[in-house]
Amino acid sequence: MTQPIQATNDFVIKFANVNGSGSASANELFAKAVIRMGVPVAPRNIFPSNIQGLPTWYEARICEKGYSGRRGGVDMMVAMNPQTWDADVAEIEPGGYLLYDSTRPIPPSKFRADIQVIGVPLTEISNTAYTDPRQRQLFKNIIYVGVLSVLLDMDASVFEKLFAEQYKGKERLLDSNVQALNLGRDYAKRHLKHPLGIRVQRADNVGDQILVDGNSAIALGCVYGGATVAAWYPITPSSSVAEAFQKYCEKLRVDPATGRNKFAIVQAEDELASIGMVIGAGWNGARAFTATSGPGISLMQEFIGLAHFAEIPCTIIDVQRGGPSTGMPTRTQQSDVLLCAYASHGDTKHILLFPQDPHECFEFGATALDLADRLQTPIFVMTDLDIGMNQRLCKPFEWDEARAYDRGKVMSAEDLEAGKDFGRYKDVDGDGVPWRTLPGTHPTKGAFFTRGTTRDAYARYSERGPDYVYNMERLLKKFATAAKIVPQPVVKKAAKDTRYGVIYYGSTTPAMQEALDVLEADGGHFDSMRLRAFPFPESVHRFILEHDLVFLVEQNRDAQLRSLIINELEIDPARVMPVLHYDGTPITARFIVRAIAKAVREREKPATAKEAA
Amino acid sequence: MTYIVKPQLHHPTLTKNKVGYTRRDYEGRISTLCAGCGHDSISAAIIQACWELDIEPHRVAKLSGIGCSSKTPDYFLGASHGFNTVHGRMPSVMTGANLANRELLYLGVSGDGDSASIGLGQFANAMRRGVNMAYIVENNGVYGLTKGQFSATADRGSKSKKGAINSDSAVDLVGIALQLGATYVARSFSGDKAQLVPLIKGALAHGGAAFIDVLSPCVTFNNHAGSTKSFDYVRQHNEAVSRIDFITTKSEITAEYAAGEVIEVQQHDGSMLRLRKLKDDYDPTDRLAAMNYMQSHAARGEVVTGLLYVDPLATDLHLSMNTMEVPLASLGPQELCPGKAALDKINASFR
């Protein structure tokens, strides 16, 4: 018989539920309780593009060391969905645990001999205690959390405190939740062997970290960064950005004296209208953003070209999902990199920011609004479903009270009155960034006709070659300026000198950091560079040239960021080896370690063989 | 072609309006449209309307899409900021601009291809939202810049210059605007400046979504026999329901008309629209009746013009959104950033 898995503060538990059954809040309660015990958790929702009735999973990686990437493998399955039973049971690691609802008998052939099976008559317990059908359903979820708390040796007090916070002032709900939890706890204590080989033990590894999803974080970043106009069209996985922005604005942006809103949010008729409104607002001096996903970016192409060429500030949050076409709407990928970098027809290049977690989502939300004004161009914040829709433990949000908004080069009525020369598309400072005026600034000076057609430096319609070339060259210069002021890459040197490097970005970060530790423990040393923006500064070029081989780890099929690096930095493709994960699940450290170790082995083998000969 | 410099020498005796501008101060660059184009008459009407309304030119934001009509904002109000956006999508840009700064006047200029073909969706949704704007469609039923293809407002059975017969039904922008809740809906004719100027003034002073469909014959591609958008056709089928006079304040009213012939409508800003009814059976404050009237007359091949509908108590998008009185674009970190203490609280809620 396979030995049961023994692990304290280091295991993966997965909940198999039916969507719409109210399991999400129970599962979140479980994760929060583990965190309150000082043990880091990385939870992930795996859900279908559906409202009710289809399978949904919640996978929580409990990891004292704090790795928040997906680990892969399941040590304990809470199997609440008969539809997916076979696959769920099959996914459990040998020696792992299965908790299931034993109210109805399940034939022995449906189990495995090499796992620990724990049956609890959850439906029966719930139906005996409650009569209302909705309550029976909801509290069944709390009951299994109660059972788990005993099996995993967790303190009841942690749950009680969480309930007390959540249901402050709603005493009836508080009591009934505590009761449901205890129904589960009492049953487990009386009937089940506890604790299991896997368990949660109090630790002190959470610190002041917060558990939050990237979409809420970026919305809050936009509130802090001064966005006043938001226009959007619902699309998974980005809708909750706009919804969170609405929620935070209603809380934080209503003028107390008048009750009037210091924000305007439009749910537009489509993505074209969304970006159009954002551009209109940006042209008129407001900070504005839209949030969308790949299909929305595809629709926005023409407008993005206009904002680029007419030089209108705007912020576009792309919460990436699996493409192409409708693709995998509820799965994650980093597959819009090239789409956004070169969006729209003609020669265009755009600025992309790659936040690694909700903390950076908040930071980059505000930074994007500054950069948009400073550089007068679209700024893309490239997050994805993994960061956007999952809660992640991360550093708390920070805001420097002294931070001002960088409104960039805007000419005032006084500037114009003083006779300052105004050429809307003229490079007067040598950085490629021209000055602009806002509508209504001055009765007789500074007005111009904004258009997507070519014009001279004074915004006068012109199809003359030299005027066109002047402008296109200036835009390149502006892009070079951007490379200097966007968030710079984060480099971490290996413990020992090495010929190998890795480059990664965005949601790959937690898995990559874990993979680097695993590789190092095994004697593999890699310098690493986390990219935080495009255009790439000179340091990226240097980093690649300093190594014999650089692995570029990303989550798409075609190695899009690698293409961008090779193309933009004119790098020999042989120097950059792609490591690609794109099945829609978040990349794991195990995957990265396997791929890199194999590549290194293969690369070093022939040399060794030659030497031996 | 590149732009043409227009001489800025003003005759010293030109009359100034109340804000100190002459009519020429409302002009723009020299038009590059075909000689005799109806659109140039509309530009002239816009200039006249703004001058007569004593609007400071820089308080107007003029926006357009793509096409002959959408080039025209370069030819009037040279001291106003303008935005020539993308084809069919001006309404969304105007909506966003309006949200950013509610203190400016928004003038949208579009064409029938721009608003009824490629941009029908955005046109409809801007009307639906009640964006405070004067939206003018310079309607000639044809694509000029690409040399004479039918647009979506071309009537079924009308003939193109090359002889093709249009087999598709026409999009009726006036009908759509009425149905979707535009609160000021008019139709006019570029060849009737006396009718058009007060309609534009009324639209600019209106406090919600104002739409004017201006039939504006294309002299190059759609002014032949067999076209229903030619000068001759429109003149022959024009059924004006009213003549309007625009009066800035109530005090200026003089009794010129016999009782019963005149309807006075006071708009948001206190300005008055005085409608001289030309048809006894027409009430421009009754939306359903207006829709019915339009449909039945269109079926008879008549082109109904005039102020077709007005809701003097119109509301707009800012009212529905309960936004601040001051422009959102004027707010800084002081007003917008909730600060560190609030953030600490938010952080705590995520633990």
Side-chain angles (χ1 to χ4, degrees), chain A residues 37-40 63-66 202-209 393:
Chain A
M37 289 179 68
V39 180
C63 179
E64 190 170 324
K65 284 187 181 162
R202 274 196 183 272
D204 191 16
N205 283 14
V206 171
D208 68 345
Q209 291 183 94
L393 211 51

Side-chain angles (χ1 to χ4, degrees), chain A residues 230-449:
Chain A
W232 65 295
Y233 186 75
I235 181 171
T236 304
S238 76
S239 303
S240 56
V241 174
E243 286 159 354
F245 185 70
Q246 174 99 34
K247 185 187 83 182
Y248 286 126
C249 281
E250 280 165 8
K251 218 183 277 175
L252 304 166
R253 280 277 196 79
V254 179
D255 182 46
T258 60
R260 305 280 283 267
N261 295 333
K262 294 184 266 186
F263 62 92
I265 302 167
V266 187
Q267 184 189 316
E269 60 268 32
D270 54 30
E271 284 88 347
L272 287 83
S274 310
I275 187 68
M277 289 176 197
V278 169
I279 290 170
W283 173 74
N284 220 357
R287 295 193 146 188
F289 76 96
T290 185
T292 186
S293 190
I297 303 281
S298 290
L299 285 170
M300 293 176 184
Q301 294 288 306
E302 187 185 19
F303 256 135
I304 292 169
L306 174 72
H308 169 77
F309 201 48
E311 299 180 70
I312 315 287
C314 58
T315 294
I316 301 167
I317 294 154
D318 179 6
V319 189
Q320 298 167 90
R321 65 190 216 182
S325 187
T326 309
M328 295 198 285
T330 61
R331 297 292 186 263
T332 197
Q333 262 184 5
Q334 298 176 311
S335 52
D336 296 343
V337 174
L338 288 175
L339 169 75
C340 294
Y342 298 127
S344 205
H345 55 274
D347 293 324
T348 60
K349 292 186 204 196
H350 305 287
I351 293 153
L352 318 179
L353 307 183
F354 302 110
Q356 63 164 343
D357 64 2
H359 175 86
E360 262 187 6
C361 282
F362 173 80
E363 175 62 32
F364 287 7
T367 302
L369 295 163
D370 274 349
L371 287 171
D373 270 349
R374 168 58 44 189
L375 296 163
Q376 303 171 27
T377 197
I379 307 290
F380 291 83
V381 186
M382 307 295 289
T383 155
D384 60 27
L385 184 143
D386 188 32
I387 303 177
M389 290 190 73
N390 291 313
Q391 293 181 319
R392 183 75 50 83
L393 211 51
C394 63
K395 275 200 310 186
F397 304 137
E398 289 157 17
W399 189 262
D400 180 357
E401 294 281 32
R403 180 171 171 165
Y405 296 159
D406 179 4
R407 298 307 318 262
K409 302 182 187 179
V410 181
M411 260 194 198
S412 65
E414 293 72 37
D415 293 337
L416 293 163
E417 194 57 49
K420 235 187 192 180
D421 177 44
F422 174 60
R424 174 64 184 98
Y425 298 108
K426 193 173 173 185
D427 182 13
V428 288
D429 303 315
D431 58 0
V433 184
W435 286 78
R436 63 176 180 141
T437 54
L438 300 179
T441 299
H442 191 279
T444 54
K445 298 183 171 80
F448 66 100
F449 196 45

Side-chain angles (χ1 to χ4, degrees), chain B residues 251-318:
Chain B
S251 61
E252 291 177 30
I253 293 178
T254 52
E256 288 175 31
Y257 313 110
E261 276 184 339
V262 171
I263 303 176
E264 285 176 350
V265 181
Q266 184 165 24
Q267 299 214 101
H268 258 280
D269 62 344
S271 64
M272 298 291 294
L273 299 174
R274 185 183 305 154
L275 292 161
R276 245 182 312 143
K277 283 171 63 163
L278 299 182
K279 305 283 170 190
D280 285 344
D281 56 345
Y282 199 81
D283 175 7
T285 60
D286 182 341
R287 190 167 72 96
L288 292 179
M291 288 166 75
N292 198 21
Y293 191 94
M294 297 302 295
Q295 292 290 330
S296 52
H297 284 254
R300 296 210 293 266
E302 291 168 4
V303 182
V304 180
T305 60
L307 180 60
L308 308 171
Y309 172 67
V310 61
D311 172 2
L313 300 176
T315 61
D316 84 322
L317 187 55
H318 279 283

Side-chain angles (χ1 to χ4, degrees), chain A residues 196-215:
Chain A
L196 304 176
I198 54 171
R199 62 191 67 172
V200 181
Q201 200 176 72
R202 274 196 183 272
D204 191 16
N205 283 14
V206 171
D208 68 345
Q209 291 183 94
I210 55 173
L211 182 72
V212 63
D213 62 282
N215 283 358

Side-chain angles (χ1 to χ4, degrees), chain A residues 311 425 427 432 434 470-478:
Chain A
E311 299 180 70
Y425 298 108
D427 182 13
Y470 169 81
N471 198 45
M472 293 300 279
E473 291 291 323
R474 184 183 53 74
L475 286 169
L476 270 187
K477 197 189 272 179
K478 181 165 95 168

Side-chain angles (χ1 to χ4, degrees), chain A residues 448-464:
Chain A
F448 66 100
F449 196 45
T450 306
R451 59 203 320 168
T453 32
T454 61
R455 64 270 148 152
D456 66 11
Y458 287 84
R460 292 172 300 212
Y461 183 75
S462 166
E463 290 177 19
R464 288 178 61 236

